[in-house]
Amino acid sequence: MASTIISKLRDLDTPADQVEVKFGLKLTADAGAIFTSVGGEVSYEITLKWSQDKSK
């Protein structure tokens, strides 16, 4: 997932001056003598920042 995001960000017409990517992972499991089911969620947040160029 991370490499896909990076590839997409590199393809921007105007690349950002700063990029921040936050990943979250939540795992759940039903425990007994043996784990009966395991699941999870993945989330991400992308922040792009551009600096204003005062010379233009």
Side-chain angles (χ1 to χ4, degrees), residues 9-28:
L9 293 173
R10 286 184 178 154
D11 290 341
L12 291 175
D13 290 335
T14 306
D17 295 315
Q18 295 179 12
V19 177
E20 179 180 328
V21 180
K22 297 179 185 178
F23 288 92
L25 178 62
K26 178 181 177 182
L27 298 175
T28 58

Side-chain angles (χ1 to χ4, degrees), residues 1 5 21-26 40-46:
M1 180 186 282
I5 292 170
V21 180
K22 297 179 185 178
F23 288 92
L25 178 62
K26 178 181 177 182
E41 297 175 15
V42 176
S43 62
Y44 58 92
E45 174 184 327
I46 301 172

